[in-house]
Amino acid sequence: MSPAAPAYRRLSVEERRRQLLDAALGLFAHHLPEDVSLDDVAEAAGVSRPLVYRYFPGGKQQLYEAALGSAAEELRHCFDEPHDGPMLPRLARALDRYLAFVDQHDAGFSALLQGGSVVETSRTTAIVDGVRRAAAEHIHSHLGVAEPGPRLRMTVRMWITAVEAASLIWLDEGKQPPAGELRDWLMEQFVAVMTVTAARDPQTAEAVRGALAERP
């Protein structure tokens, strides 16, 4: 007697939406968004094209923006860290979560940061930049700086850009070196760029003294 086929389970609205977003992120990560059709998304998700339209009546643009927003929301949560204990270990823990997201959602991460698309709009740009602004605000907060000046803002944003670039290259390099080594290297870069800026900016110098004084 042949084994019984597994029972079919109808997906809930949220589960189906999540399935479509995951399929879209995987495609957008490896192809330019303009080269991805709704038929491609339907095939990747194993559903019909009308079903994709049912969930995203605005078509590919709506699906693209929803996929980016989903990945961005997860990334923003990576920076949620209690203000307890020394500052640098706090930042290191946030960076661990960030790199874990990159590792576990490499397709979504690549799709989030991919630019130069003809379907890119002010909304998609705002979604991506919102992650960067959230990360910067968290870092300023953990440094104890309520109103960062231009040099400190530029330094923090430059480091965030370096983290993004290193993460994408890390994926291209087969996730080498190990994530822990990458985290330590990026943390050393943070201390280095902050120290350089501190030589020119009193506000950054004060923040650096506080952060380094709290080292365990």
Side-chain angles (χ1 to χ4, degrees), residues 137 139-149 152 203 207:
E137 288 168 2
I139 293 172
H140 296 152
S141 175
H142 285 285
L143 285 170
V145 179
E147 297 182 8
L152 180 55
Q203 183 185 54

Side-chain angles (χ1 to χ4, degrees), residues 131-214:
V131 177
R132 296 172 181 139
R133 288 197 306 272
E137 288 168 2
H138 276 283
I139 293 172
H140 296 152
S141 175
H142 285 285
L143 285 170
V145 179
E147 297 182 8
R151 286 188 174 88
L152 180 55
R153 286 199 306 271
M154 283 190 286
T155 300
V156 170
R157 286 296 294 262
M158 286 168 56
W159 181 74
I160 291 169
T161 299
V163 170
E164 290 179 357
S167 299
L168 288 171
I169 296 170
W170 184 63
L171 293 177
D172 286 342
E173 294 292 334
K175 301 180 181 178
Q176 291 297 320
E181 292 183 23
L182 179 60
R183 180 225 33 235
D184 291 344
W185 179 59
L186 290 171
M187 287 298 301
E188 290 165 1
Q189 286 199 354
F190 177 78
V191 173
V193 296
M194 289 287 289
T195 301
V196 169
T197 302
R200 294 177 175 269
D201 180 47
Q203 183 185 54
T204 304
E206 182 178 354
V208 166
R209 282 193 297 271
L212 296 183
E214 290 179 340

Side-chain angles (χ1 to χ4, degrees), residues 47-192:
V47 301
S48 66
R49 179 189 175 96
L51 182 62
V52 179
Y53 263 115
R54 184 188 308 169
Y55 282 83
F56 300 97
K60 186 171 69 175
Q61 185 63 44
Q62 183 186 7
L63 178 58
Y64 180 56
E65 291 176 9
L68 290 187
S70 174
E73 184 63 25
E74 289 190 56
L75 266 179
R76 274 192 287 267
H77 286 307
C78 292
F79 301 105
D80 293 338
E81 177 68 29
H83 286 62
D84 299 325
M87 184 270 172
L88 291 179
R90 279 182 260 152
L91 181 57
R93 288 192 292 271
L95 194 53
D96 277 336
R97 288 192 293 273
Y98 184 92
L99 293 175
F101 176 91
V102 175
D103 183 22
Q104 296 166 14
H105 305 83
D106 49 0
F109 181 78
S110 298
L112 179 65
L113 295 184
Q114 184 172 322
S117 166
V118 297
V119 298
E120 185 176 2
T121 66
S122 59
R123 290 188 297 274
T124 59
T125 300
I127 289 170
V128 175
D129 199 52
V131 177
R132 296 172 181 139
R133 288 197 306 272
E137 288 168 2
H138 276 283
I139 293 172
H140 296 152
S141 175
H142 285 285
L143 285 170
V145 179
E147 297 182 8
R151 286 188 174 88
L152 180 55
R153 286 199 306 271
M154 283 190 286
T155 300
V156 170
R157 286 296 294 262
M158 286 168 56
W159 181 74
I160 291 169
T161 299
V163 170
E164 290 179 357
S167 299
L168 288 171
I169 296 170
W170 184 63
L171 293 177
D172 286 342
E173 294 292 334
K175 301 180 181 178
Q176 291 297 320
E181 292 183 23
L182 179 60
R183 180 225 33 235
D184 291 344
W185 179 59
L186 290 171
M187 287 298 301
E188 290 165 1
Q189 286 199 354
F190 177 78
V191 173

Side-chain angles (χ1 to χ4, degrees), residues 11 14-30 36 40-42 44-45 56 63 66-68 70-71 74 101 104-109 111:
L11 297 180
E14 184 55 37
E15 288 173 331
R16 180 67 74 188
R17 189 173 189 276
R18 179 74 259 170
Q19 178 196 29
L20 296 175
L21 288 177
D22 287 344
L25 281 172
L27 291 170
F28 290 140
H30 299 100
V36 177
D40 295 328
V41 175
F56 300 97
L63 178 58
L68 290 187
S70 174
E74 289 190 56
F101 176 91
Q104 296 166 14
H105 305 83
D106 49 0
F109 181 78

